[in-house]
């Protein structure tokens, strides 16, 4: 290793696929958005080509509350990338938003052993790199 720095390497940025680009653009504005089917109004996340309810293709992106509850979670005990080595163990939660859609994100501000299914959480925005802001969740008062 030629790098003598003790600082952690930068975290890898999310891979931005074309269909998810509007999500990451909104994240830079600290806005959480999901797709809404223009035919039947049902919400979908992550972006999908077809609506599960009506098989419609057209969708728009709409803001959601950023409030939800822990639907499920896992505790990461091993860093899959050196940038996360100092953070293990940490929690990745599947959050069910008040609007009914679910997304996976890191759950912060609480030790992993205190996380419970159903606990209320809210989004916050972590600027991990220039032009890259990722959603994370933390506990909130019910
Ligand atoms: Zn639909």
């Amino acid at each position: 290793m030629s790098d003598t720095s003790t600082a952690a390497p930068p975290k890898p940025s999310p891979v931005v696929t074309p269909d998810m680009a509007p999500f990451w653009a909104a994240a830079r504005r600290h806005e959480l958005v999901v797709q809404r089917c223009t035919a039947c109004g049902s919400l979908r996340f992550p972006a999908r080509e077809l609506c599960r309810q009506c098989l419609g293709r057209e969708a728009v992106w709409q803001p959601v509350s950023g409030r939800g509850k822990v639907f499920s979670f896992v505790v990461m005990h091993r860093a899959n990338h050196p940038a996360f080595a100092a953070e293990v163990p940490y929690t990745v939660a599947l959050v069910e938003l008040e609007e009914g859609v679910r997304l996976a994100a890191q759950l912060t501000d609480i030790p992993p052993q205190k996380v419970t299914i159903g606990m209320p959480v809210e989004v916050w925005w972590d600027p991990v790199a220039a032009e890259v802001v990722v959603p994370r969740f933390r506990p909130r008062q019910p």
Side-chain angles (χ1 to χ4, degrees), residues 37-42 44 51-56 58:
C37 174
T38 52
C40 77
S42 67
R44 56 198 210 229
C51 173
R52 280 186 183 163
Q53 303 297 322
C54 74
L55 300 181
E58 300 300 314

Side-chain angles (χ1 to χ4, degrees), residues 19-111:
D19 58 345
M20 285 295 285
F23 174 84
W24 294 108
R28 287 196 291 274
R29 306 189 302 267
H30 294 194
E31 194 171 69
L32 190 64
V33 296
V34 300
Q35 279 188 322
R36 178 170 52 80
C37 174
T38 52
C40 77
S42 67
L43 301 179
R44 56 198 210 229
F45 188 87
R48 279 191 290 271
E49 195 177 348
L50 296 177
C51 173
R52 280 186 183 163
Q53 303 297 322
C54 74
L55 300 181
R57 287 181 182 275
E58 300 300 314
V60 294
W61 289 88
Q62 81 164 41
V64 288
S65 65
R67 292 186 303 273
K69 61 188 178 185
V70 173
F71 181 82
S72 180
F73 67 95
V74 294
V75 178
M76 309 299 279
H77 291 278
R78 281 187 50 176
N80 292 321
H81 185 280
F84 295 91
E87 297 182 22
V88 292
Y90 63 90
T91 308
V92 175
L94 184 61
V95 174
E96 184 170 276
L97 297 173
E98 288 179 346
E99 292 83 0
V101 288
R102 295 174 191 156
L103 75 162
Q106 189 175 349
L107 182 58
T108 64
D109 298 72
I110 182 170

Side-chain angles (χ1 to χ4, degrees), residues 119-132:
M119 70 182 298
V121 293
E122 66 186 0
V123 74
W124 67 276
W125 299 98
D126 190 2
V128 295
E131 298 296 297
V132 182

